[in-house]
């Protein structure tokens, strides 16, 4: 897929990422990345208990430590100062190019600006005006 340069597009905000196949990830690294994704690491920062990941993926604890270190070095995983992890959003956009294109357009499209009609007070229909004037007894 080739992308056309967009006027005003900032390359620092480019949402593309290299293919996972070109990164030569091991099975343990794929499994660790999938574990983080399956446990909500795509949308929020999560703790990654190494022993649990090792048990779920069928790897040793040291293999999971090495996988986390490589995934963090590749910037596929982002580690916070509190030791929590989240998946780099660019990885998600490599899997969903249609969303990447939509977000790229959102970053480059002009902002929506209200006109005079939008700033005017809302018209009230006659029926709505009568409803507001009607005093209803409280029961």
């Amino acid at each position: 897929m080739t992308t056309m340069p967009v006027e005003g597009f900032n390359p620092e905000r480019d949402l593309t990422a290299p293919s996972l196949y070109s990164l030569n990830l091991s099975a343990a690294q794929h499994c660790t990345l999938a574990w983080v994704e399956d446990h909500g690491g795509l949308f929020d920062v999560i703790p990654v208990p190494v022993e649990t990941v090792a048990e779920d993926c069928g790897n040793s604890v040291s293999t999971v430590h090495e996988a986390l270190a490589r995934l963090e070095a590749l910037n596929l995983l982002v580690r916070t100062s509190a030791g929590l992890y989240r998946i780099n959003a660019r990885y998600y956009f490599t899997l969903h190019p249609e969303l990447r294109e939509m977000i790229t357009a959102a970053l480059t499209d002009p902002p929506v600006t209200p006109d005079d009609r939008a700033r005017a007070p809302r018209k009230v229909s006659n029926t709505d005006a009568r409803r507001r004037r009607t005093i209803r007894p409280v029961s």
Side-chain angles (χ1 to χ4, degrees):
M1 180 175 120
T2 60
T3 56
M4 298 297 293
V6 179
E7 183 180 330
F9 183 70
N10 184 353
E12 291 177 2
R13 289 183 166 183
D14 183 16
L15 298 176
T16 59
S19 164
L20 284 181
Y21 297 111
S22 68
L23 296 176
N24 197 18
L25 297 179
S26 68
Q29 292 161 359
H30 274 289
C31 187
T32 303
L33 190 60
W35 189 95
V36 173
E37 186 176 352
D38 291 344
H39 288 82
L42 188 58
F43 303 106
D44 200 7
V45 291
I46 62 166
V48 179
V50 177
E51 294 81 11
T52 306
V53 176
E55 184 178 317
D56 290 350
C57 292
N59 295 319
S60 67
V61 172
S62 63
T63 302
V64 174
H65 277 292
E66 290 171 6
L68 286 172
R70 173 116 197 276
L71 293 171
E72 188 178 348
L74 290 171
N75 291 325
L76 282 172
L77 287 181
V78 178
R79 187 175 183 195
T80 65
S81 58
L84 303 174
Y85 290 91
R86 70 172 174 80
I87 292 178
N88 188 332
R90 292 177 191 231
Y91 161 71
Y92 181 74
F93 289 122
T94 59
L95 300 177
H96 304 283
E98 67 282 355
L99 291 176
R100 178 180 65 227
E101 291 171 8
M102 186 174 75
I103 296 296
T104 301
L107 292 174
T108 58
D109 285 347
V112 176
T113 54
D115 60 0
D116 292 336
R117 182 177 175 181
R119 291 187 193 99
R122 186 176 150 259
K123 286 188 175 181
V124 179
S125 69
N126 291 337
T127 307
D128 286 341
R130 272 187 260 125
R131 284 185 188 140
R132 291 183 183 161
R133 284 188 294 229
T134 306
I135 299 172
R136 295 185 181 148
V138 179
S139 50

